[in-house]
Amino acid sequence: MHTVLQQVINGLSLGSIYALLALGYTMVYGIIKLINFAHGDIYMLGAFWGYYVINTYHVDFIVALLSAMIVTALAGMIIEYLAYRPLRNSPRITALITAIGVSYFLENGMSYLFGANTRNFPQVVKQHNFTALGISISNIQVLILVTALILMILLQLIIQKTKMGTAMRAVAVDQEAAALVGINPDHVISFTFGLGSALAGAAGVLIGLYYNSIDPLMGMTPGIKAFVAAVVGGIGSVPGAAVGGFLIGLLETGVQAIGLSAYKDAAVYVVLILILIVLPAGLLGKNVKEKV
Amino acid sequence: MTTLLKVDHVSKIFGGLKAVEDVSMHVETGELVALIGPNGAGKTTLFNALTGVSPATEGTVAFRVGDEMVSLDKKKPYQVAKMGIARTFQNIRLFHQLSVRENLQAAMTHRYKEGFVSSILRLPAFAKQEALANKWTDEILAKLDLTDVADVITANLPYGTQRRIEIARAVATDPQLIFLDEPAAGMNPEETADLAHLIKRLQTEFGLTVVLIEHDMSLVMSLAERIYVLEHGKLIAEGTPSEIQHNDAVINAYLGGGVHA
């Protein structure tokens, strides 16, 4: 029982990272039907920015987190503007391949500029472990969970309660009709990239704290797992991405706990395949009926 | 009267097909004008050219803003909407997963400013703007008899109601000119009668200028002050309903040669 609870806590910590990343995938997909494969690399940029400001300016966790969110939001918006906007009316596959290109560009660009070696993320928050009832939870795990939950609540408020959120939901349903009621789709799409990238940046700083190590290729696997999480939850669905993220985190730690560490990535991909076969719309996916 | 919309020699060419050819027309402020023609005559294509969705190949379109006529030629759809032109669609294109209220509020985003920070922190400035948007929404909902369904997801509402919501959403953009693309399509006679009453109210009560595409001739003849007739992309007639009813070219277009109604 203890082991199970312990693994649930570990799984939720890791899952909140995946959830933050999956939200960006799902929002961008919801609005322009693009699987933004460069999203995992935005997370890497966030982690590197955190590493840089903490080491250079000795800022605390909050400043590192917020500044990383701002920097990655800008990076996401610039990438959208330069790489995806010119392809707005191109076939979807063109944009998808461009996204893969952007991903390689960011990974190799960072390796080229700053070196491909792994570095230690500065431990700006001292780790303490609390033990209760035989279950151990670290303050960093609590920090990750609380930060992720706050960001998800904020995101939900933005989407449901603000003018921009309403515009986002309108553009997601029908971009042309939205334009004809006075919404500038380019602004909304740019904002969506900014919002999703900020969440990825936050996830990058959090994972730096959690795993202590970062490198330019760190975004690849979590990026793909977060994509799986978004698909599991139902791509395009915001609550679905959060749920999917936590599920994938729990699954991965669960597989490790039963001694199959070597297969933890494989388990995630098996889930992807199963979901695509059994429930292609995902757990909370919209029931899409193509109109003829 | 002053001219609100002026269309000068507009053509729309798709490859080798002239969908709209050399159309010139004008709409005066406060008028209720109908655009009719057989299926495939180019009516919706003309609407699309006028609203920036699919810009005209040739010709110019100008719209009155204050005292001057502003060209719409290089304007994007959202800019055209902001200038005061709204439209509805032949096949309903509501934001289906959103509630009626949210549909209307999505159409108001250009009408007020809302700071990002103030909305996240729910500062008084945000509350004030939100109250204003809610007030506008409530007014439109009440006038269009949609208050009861305000919080229902639009996809779950009956067809006739969805049509009315589309008109409400167009009104929510605070337009001067509204294009209605076959609003009576698929409606029964009773619903059509209600719609006719509503369109008349858009003109009288809301002070809008209305351009109507419609196949239901009794509706067109009872509402329109002036009618333009389009056939094969060309304007073949213009006039009052009684003039159009007796125009030989129009009778030919609709019924084939030699028949008199």
Side-chain angles (χ1 to χ4, degrees):
Chain A
M1 191 59 205
H2 283 161
T3 343
V4 173
L5 269 179
Q6 182 67 58
Q7 292 311 325
V8 166
I9 287 169
N10 296 346
L12 288 177
S13 313
L14 186 61
S16 42
I17 305 277
Y18 291 147
L20 287 177
L21 273 175
L23 287 166
Y25 268 111
T26 220
M27 283 194 292
V28 165
Y29 183 85
I31 214 146
I32 53 169
K33 305 287 173 282
L34 165 73
I35 308 283
N36 180 18
F37 276 115
H39 195 60
D41 302 298
I42 296 284
Y43 153 93
M44 176 270 292
L45 289 183
F48 270 78
W49 176 265
Y51 171 85
Y52 167 74
V53 286
I54 293 170
N55 274 341
T56 313
Y57 300 106
H58 307 290
V59 298
D60 60 10
F61 166 74
I62 295 289
V63 175
L65 183 82
L66 293 179
S67 63
M69 289 177 72
I70 292 168
V71 167
T72 49
L74 289 174
M77 287 156 93
I78 291 168
I79 290 169
E80 188 274 327
Y81 184 81
L82 293 178
Y84 304 138
R85 189 170 299 185
L87 302 173
R88 194 61 50 76
N89 298 315
S90 310
R92 275 160 62 181
I93 192 78
T94 316
L96 184 76
I97 291 168
T98 305
I100 296 172
V102 170
S103 170
Y104 279 117
F105 175 79
L106 292 176
E107 286 163 11
N108 292 299
M110 287 299 282
S111 301
Y112 179 77
L113 290 174
F114 302 107
N117 54 317
T118 302
R119 46 214 97 185
N120 294 325
F121 197 86
Q123 290 311 289
V124 66
V125 179
K126 272 263 171 297
Q127 184 169 348
H128 303 288
N129 286 319
F130 309 105
T131 311
L133 307 166
I135 300 159
S136 157
I137 178 166
S138 76
N139 58 338
I140 290 177
Q141 285 179 316
V142 174
L143 192 64
I144 289 174
L145 264 172
V146 170
T147 310
L149 287 177
I150 290 173
L151 290 176
M152 284 181 214
I153 291 166
L154 275 180
L155 178 71
Q156 200 61 15
L157 281 178
I158 291 172
I159 293 177
Q160 297 298 334
K161 298 286 181 194
T162 68
K163 188 175 112 167
M164 191 48 115
T166 310
M168 279 170 70
R169 287 182 291 150
V171 172
V173 179
D174 188 333
Q175 192 171 322
E176 194 177 291
L180 285 164
V181 296
I183 296 171
N184 182 348
D186 285 340
H187 281 177
V188 175
I189 292 167
S190 183
F191 180 82
T192 307
F193 269 87
L195 202 56
S197 301
L199 295 179
V205 174
L206 293 174
I207 202 72
L209 276 181
Y210 195 37
Y211 283 171
N212 298 340
S213 82
I214 61 169
D215 69 89
L217 300 184
M218 65 183 277
M220 289 174 80
T221 313
I224 291 174
K225 284 182 188 160
F227 166 65
V228 176
V231 173
V232 168
I235 193 134
S237 155
V238 168
V243 170
F246 285 117
L247 286 179
I248 294 296
L250 288 170
L251 172 79
E252 200 178 312
T253 44
V255 169
Q256 275 175 296
I258 57 172
L260 297 172
S261 293
Y263 297 100
K264 68 179 169 104
D265 294 352
V268 175
Y269 303 135
V270 168
V271 166
L272 174 65
I273 293 167
L274 288 179
I275 281 281
L276 288 178
I277 293 171
V278 181
L279 205 64
L283 295 175
L284 303 179
K286 291 174 193 128
N287 201 356
V288 190
K289 278 181 231 140
E290 288 280 334
K291 284 229 173 80
V292 187
Chain B
M1 272 209 236
T2 50
T3 303
L4 184 62
L5 180 78
K6 194 157 170 40
V7 180
D8 261 326
H9 302 289
V10 161
S11 296
K12 178 72 196 180
I13 300 164
F14 296 106
L17 176 74
K18 288 187 171 174
V20 172
E21 195 178 345
D22 196 26
V23 168
S24 295
M25 53 191 280
H26 63 96
V27 178
E28 305 295 312
T29 305
E31 258 192 319
L32 205 166
V33 177
L35 179 64
I36 65 171
N39 282 322
K43 304 180 295 290
T44 300
T45 308
L46 184 60
F47 267 21
N48 285 343
L50 300 183
T51 49
V53 172
S54 164
T57 321
E58 285 164 28
T60 58
V61 184
F63 183 69
R64 177 173 298 280
V65 178
D67 285 336
E68 46 182 332
M69 298 298 284
V70 178
S71 165
L72 296 182
D73 299 338
K74 293 262 153 50
K75 296 272 191 289
K76 299 225 169 94
Y78 76 92
Q79 292 168 320
V80 172
K82 282 183 187 179
M83 286 171 71
I85 300 180
R87 72 173 284 182
T88 65
F89 297 89
Q90 212 173 100
N91 31 2
I92 300 173
R93 286 174 72 175
L94 287 168
F95 305 128
H96 289 292
Q97 291 94 333
L98 275 60
S99 72
V100 178
R101 180 182 295 279
E102 289 171 331
N103 263 275
L104 264 54
Q105 292 188 336
M108 292 176 177
T109 55
H110 62 281
R111 293 174 62 185
Y112 61 98
K113 289 233 177 304
E114 180 182 290
F116 184 66
V117 177
S118 70
S119 53
I120 299 295
L121 300 176
R122 310 188 78 73
L123 297 177
F126 169 72
K128 207 169 146 190
Q129 288 299 335
E130 197 177 49
L132 187 61
N134 279 330
K135 181 172 154 266
W136 289 334
T137 313
D138 288 338
E139 278 172 13
I140 297 170
L141 289 171
K143 282 184 183 167
L144 271 77
D145 196 21
L146 290 165
T147 309
D148 293 345
V149 294
D151 297 309
V152 182
I153 301 298
T154 55
N156 300 336
L157 288 166
Y159 183 82
T161 313
Q162 291 195 15
R163 282 262 173 226
R164 208 158 68 237
I165 299 165
E166 242 202 347
I167 293 175
R169 187 180 65 178
V171 169
T173 64
D174 194 25
Q176 296 178 59
L177 174 64
I178 184 167
F179 289 122
L180 303 173
D181 195 348
E182 294 193 28
M187 283 188 167
N188 64 36
E190 203 178 316
E191 288 171 326
T192 307
D194 287 344
L195 177 75
H197 182 61
L198 173 59
I199 294 172
K200 195 70 200 162
R201 281 176 62 210
L202 289 179
Q203 186 194 19
T204 54
E205 196 180 323
F206 292 79
L208 299 178
T209 305
V210 181
V211 179
L212 172 71
I213 288 183
E214 189 48 64
H215 282 300
D216 186 325
M217 283 306 139
S218 61
L219 183 71
V220 169
M221 294 302 165
S222 67
L223 280 174
E225 292 159 1
R226 247 170 1 104
I227 299 175
Y228 285 99
V229 187
L230 208 59
E231 195 203 6
H232 298 308
K234 292 181 194 159
L235 275 183
I236 56 167
E238 181 212 337
T240 63
S242 65
E243 285 165 6
I244 294 296
Q245 276 167 327
H246 299 102
N247 184 304
D248 288 338
V250 178
I251 294 167
N252 275 333
Y254 270 90
L255 301 174
V259 184
H260 289 273

